[in-house]
Amino acid sequence: MNDRGTSALRIAGSSALALGAAVALPTAITRFTTAASVKPVEADFAHANAALILGARVWPDGRPSRFLRERVETGVELFKRGLVDSLIMSGDGIHAHSYDEPAVMTRVAIEMGVPASAITADPRGVDTYSSAHRARHVYGVTSAIAVSQEFHLPRAVWLCERLGISAQGAYPPVIVREHTAMGYVRETAATVKAFLDVAQRRVPDGTT
């Protein structure tokens, strides 16, 4: 290979390394900065205004997916322990093909004994940034325990903190499944997007 070809390979290799670092760095930052705040639900937590329960898939027959049920169960446990005053069910109730995620989450929590008066359904929590932004700027939350699976919480807690909410993160018992592994992989791209949303100060649709 001539010198020109060698130089081109070196440039391509350096560019690939730089791109890889740029993609991986946000995930490393969120995990490092939130490590002390993200804990299993059975751990000790400081009292917060609300549990911000983040939406997930609802099956066509109206049943919550396993991930979603685990999140609601975790939020209900926090409420029953007196660690939060209310639950915010934040998910997609606008673009969902079949079911309103917050409505299903609310139904499950009520079935578990949470009074309807302690639940707020946010159907415009279409992504984690929107959920955190609306919790602060629409519902006036200043402290929250974000609730999701462990792989998701570093990003969720980091976003809450950037948007003016003093945040902790509570996750249900970690059970390794195919979708759990996929969740960890997905977080890399999702965290890059979160950094861009914060940098651009995006205002979610339906939020003034």
Side-chain angles (χ1 to χ4, degrees):
M1 182 179 294
N2 59 33
D3 291 342
R4 182 177 296 176
T6 301
S7 296
L9 283 175
R10 287 175 178 167
I11 291 170
S14 297
S15 298
L17 286 173
L19 178 60
V23 169
L25 185 59
T27 298
I29 289 172
T30 57
R31 288 200 162 267
F32 177 77
T33 58
T34 65
S37 302
V38 173
K39 297 176 283 188
V41 65
E42 62 267 20
D44 293 328
F45 292 88
H47 181 270
N49 298 154
L52 178 60
I53 305 176
L54 300 165
R57 177 178 293 182
V58 173
W59 298 117
D61 62 1
R63 290 179 300 116
S65 62
R66 184 66 252 180
F67 273 179
L68 187 57
R69 177 170 285 278
E70 288 175 348
R71 295 178 190 186
V72 176
E73 290 170 348
T74 298
V76 170
E77 181 173 341
L78 295 172
F79 179 81
K80 290 184 174 180
R81 285 167 58 189
L83 293 169
V84 296
D85 298 325
S86 64
L87 306 179
I88 298 178
M89 305 301 192
S90 187
D92 190 349
I94 304 298
H95 306 106
H97 296 299
S98 301
Y99 283 91
D100 181 331
E101 291 174 5
V104 173
M105 296 158 74
T106 297
R107 185 194 75 216
V108 172
I110 290 173
E111 289 172 352
M112 295 180 68
V114 178
S117 59
I119 302 172
T120 297
D122 178 14
R124 292 187 177 272
V126 297
D127 57 24
T128 307
Y129 179 90
S130 298
S131 294
H133 190 285
R134 288 176 57 79
R136 179 68 188 94
H137 296 285
V138 175
Y139 302 110
V141 172
T142 57
S143 62
I145 302 177
V147 178
S148 186
Q149 275 66 37
E150 190 277 337
F151 60 79
H152 182 193
L153 283 175
R155 173 166 60 98
V157 170
W158 184 86
L159 279 169
C160 285
E161 293 281 354
R162 300 288 81 71
L163 292 165
I165 299 173
S166 176
Q168 304 164 83
Y171 58 85
V174 177
I175 301 172
V176 178
R177 317 179 177 89
E178 177 185 356
H179 293 298
T180 304
M182 290 171 59
Y184 280 101
V185 172
R186 177 181 175 275
E187 277 304 299
T188 300
T191 304
V192 171
K193 179 181 179 299
F195 271 61
L196 292 174
D197 283 337
V198 169
Q200 296 167 356
R201 298 183 180 181
R202 176 169 69 87
V203 177
D205 291 343
T207 304
T208 55

